[in-house]
Amino acid sequence: MDYRIDRRRRGEMNRRIGTLASIVLAASLGAAPSRAADDVTQAKDLTSVIALLGLPCGQVKSVVRLGENDNVATCENGMRYRVFINAEGRVVAQKQ
């Protein structure tokens, strides 16, 4: 009789694991569009930063993330800038 209870519990656990796996898969598939939206937001933010620093750019077309608060932005005019926060806590854009 104990064996049957354990068997039921295993079946219940397998269903729960299957449900959990489905939730994780759905969440990971839903994360892809949000990454694309983050890329667009980051490009707009870097466009603003570069413009506020008085550098020629126009609009940022692509961003390569090097680290936290450290990016390389490629502008529509072909210019590339490494945008990061320096030791004093200021935002800096270095021409690449």
Side-chain angles (χ1 to χ4, degrees):
M1 186 174 236
D2 289 338
Y3 176 73
R4 290 182 191 163
I5 291 172
D6 288 340
R7 195 177 209 178
R8 271 189 250 137
R9 285 184 183 164
R10 276 187 277 167
E12 196 175 307
M13 185 59 91
N14 285 339
R15 280 192 297 273
R16 287 183 183 175
I17 290 172
T19 301
L20 180 61
S22 297
I23 290 170
V24 169
L25 179 63
S28 66
L29 291 175
S34 67
R35 280 192 219 125
D38 288 344
D39 290 345
V40 170
T41 302
Q42 189 174 28
K44 287 181 181 179
D45 290 345
L46 288 172
T47 298
S48 298
V49 167
I50 293 168
L52 287 170
L53 292 171
L55 300 169
C57 179
Q59 188 173 6
V60 172
K61 292 298 180 183
S62 68
V63 178
V64 176
R65 186 177 175 131
L66 302 177
E68 188 173 341
N69 297 320
D70 191 2
N71 301 285
V72 174
T74 303
C75 300
E76 66 184 359
N77 65 2
M79 302 291 287
R80 288 174 33 130
Y81 297 101
R82 177 176 173 226
V83 181
F84 63 99
I85 298 177
N86 67 9
E88 292 92 34
R90 294 181 177 258
V91 177
V92 178
Q94 289 178 340
K95 189 175 175 181
Q96 296 276 298

